[in-house]
């Protein structure tokens, strides 16, 4: 991909005026080129490098300096194998998890805040949805910062939402106490492939000025489906047995099929079981 045509390639011609040039910071090119890596070389990342990346991630902004996010480095090969098997869940599309050399779990942590209240004899009155949400966002911000730092180090990464597929079992394996919960996993390693760079929805439907609008959404998705199909056609279709085979299978059909079947229906119940009120 031409180094100076990254954004118009990913977002379409409307992004041509945003293209990078020699004066752009190196991190801008890094972000524009990024893609998820699912094939890694077998060697481990040195511990001091992983810990430095964690420190950089935890320098990220956090709601009101509450610091409600933790990172768990899985450096036991046996535990990593067991967790990766759990995350794969027997699904063929997740076989790549078996070759992950380094695995991290990013957690939301509202437990520390509650401990502070107990230590200082202050009532914890914000026991509602926002307590869970703040910790979730903190963990997500730290994850994003880790990704940027790791890729600047020359590493490849892939976030893993499957940590929420069986949170009770994962919490058991990681000894997670109440009010500490998995938000996302992250596979990290030295890449053994050039990751695909998925085209993105046009900025006209994802960047808004002053007020939200989606008046042009249908036409934009139609155009985007065509662009994706021409440049990155899907090689397989979801749920063919249940939904049949589509002659025109693009991004919107794939995503509609994906969420036409239940996923993580019990995650809310899990969150309540570990002590959160969601009202």
């Amino acid at each position: 991909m031409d180094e100076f045509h990254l954004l118009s390639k990913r977002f379409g011609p409307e992004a041509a005026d945003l293209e990078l040039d020699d004066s752009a910071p190196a991190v801008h090119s890094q972000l524009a080129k990024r893609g998820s890596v699912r094939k890694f070389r077998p060697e481990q990342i040195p511990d001091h490098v992983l810990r430095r990346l964690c420190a950089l991630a935890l320098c990220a902004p956090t709601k009101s300096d509450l610091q409600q996010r933790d990172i768990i480095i899985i450096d036991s090969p046996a535990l990593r194998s067991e967790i990766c098997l759990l995350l794969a869940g027997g699904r063929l599309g997740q076989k790549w998890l078996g070759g992950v050399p380094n695995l991290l779990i990013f957690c939301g942590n509202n437990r520390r805040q509650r401990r502070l209240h107990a230590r200082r004899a202050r009532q914890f009155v914000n026991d509602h949805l926002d307590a869970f949400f703040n910790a979730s966002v903190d963990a997500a911000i730290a994850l994003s910062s880790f990704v940027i730092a790791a890729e600047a180090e020359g590493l490849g990464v892939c976030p893993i939402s499957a940590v929420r597929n069986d949170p009770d079992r994962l919490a058991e394996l990681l000894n997670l106490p109440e009010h500490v919960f998995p938000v996302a996993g992250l596979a990290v390693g030295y890449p053994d492939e050039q990751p695909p760079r998925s085209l993105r929805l046009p900025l006209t439907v994802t960047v808004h000025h002053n007020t939200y609008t989606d008046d042009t959404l249908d036409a934009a998705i139609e155009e985007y489906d065509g662009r994706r199909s021409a440049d990155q056609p899907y090689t397989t279709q979801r749920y063919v047995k249940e939904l049949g085979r589509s002659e025109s299978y693009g991004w919107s059909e794939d995503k509609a099929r994906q969420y036409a079947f239940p996923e993580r229906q019990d995650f809310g119940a899990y969150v309540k079981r570990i002590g959160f009120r969601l009202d």
Side-chain angles (χ1 to χ4, degrees), residues 5-263:
H5 294 86
L6 293 166
L7 294 176
S8 59
K9 175 68 174 177
R10 299 193 78 166
F11 291 95
E14 66 174 87
D17 64 323
L18 308 178
E19 288 299 0
L20 309 173
D21 56 31
D22 290 326
S23 65
V27 70
H28 287 190
S29 177
Q30 173 193 327
L31 291 169
K33 290 187 294 185
R34 81 154 319 276
S36 292
V37 173
R38 292 180 175 85
K39 186 178 180 182
F40 301 92
R41 304 204 307 265
E43 58 262 39
Q44 298 286 305
I45 300 170
D47 181 63
H48 74 277
V49 174
L50 270 183
R51 290 190 299 109
R52 182 177 70 234
L53 294 173
C54 287
L56 291 169
L58 296 172
C59 289
T62 163
K63 190 281 192 260
S64 298
D65 196 26
L66 295 178
Q67 304 184 59
Q68 297 185 102
R69 66 285 182 272
D70 291 356
I71 306 170
I72 301 177
I73 300 173
I74 310 299
D75 53 17
S76 161
L79 179 60
R80 184 171 65 248
S81 295
E82 187 168 4
I83 291 174
C84 286
L85 186 63
L86 175 69
L87 300 184
R91 290 190 293 172
L92 295 177
Q94 298 283 16
K95 279 187 174 181
W96 68 274
L97 285 166
V100 170
N102 302 273
L103 177 66
L104 284 73
I105 310 292
F106 286 73
C107 296
N109 184 343
N110 185 237
R111 176 181 174 84
R112 260 194 308 271
Q113 183 65 29
R114 295 170 191 256
R115 292 281 294 272
L116 296 180
H117 285 254
R119 284 173 54 84
R120 297 296 178 180
R122 304 292 184 191
Q123 186 178 1
F124 186 80
V125 299
N126 289 293
D127 195 7
H128 46 68
L129 175 61
D130 205 46
F132 170 76
F133 192 72
N134 281 333
S136 302
V137 172
D138 265 13
I141 293 172
L143 170 66
S144 180
S145 295
F146 189 103
V147 166
I148 294 170
E151 290 180 339
E153 186 85 25
L155 300 170
V157 302
C158 183
I160 307 168
S161 65
V163 298
R164 303 191 299 278
N165 285 358
D166 190 350
D168 285 302
R169 177 56 181 155
L170 184 63
E172 181 183 356
L173 290 171
L174 300 179
N175 195 31
L176 299 183
E178 281 198 340
H179 302 110
V180 179
F181 56 94
V183 172
L186 190 69
V188 191
Y190 298 99
D192 197 26
E193 67 174 359
Q194 181 67 41
R197 297 162 182 159
S198 298
L199 305 186
R200 297 306 193 196
L201 286 165
L203 299 177
T204 52
V205 298
T206 54
V207 178
H208 309 267
H209 291 267
N210 301 314
T211 60
Y212 178 89
T213 178
D214 58 9
D215 296 345
T216 62
L217 181 60
D218 289 344
I221 289 178
E222 190 75 20
E223 184 275 334
Y224 177 65
D225 274 342
R227 196 157 55 89
R228 281 285 295 254
S229 295
D231 193 83
Q232 298 170 326
Y234 285 90
T235 57
T236 60
Q237 297 188 11
R238 296 180 191 265
Y239 301 115
V240 172
K241 181 179 178 181
E242 297 85 354
L243 300 176
R245 184 167 296 278
S246 172
E247 292 299 320
S248 177
Y249 193 92
W251 175 83
S252 62
E253 176 66 16
D254 184 74
K255 299 309 148 197
R257 287 185 179 218
Q258 179 178 352
Y259 269 50
F261 292 83
E263 289 188 9

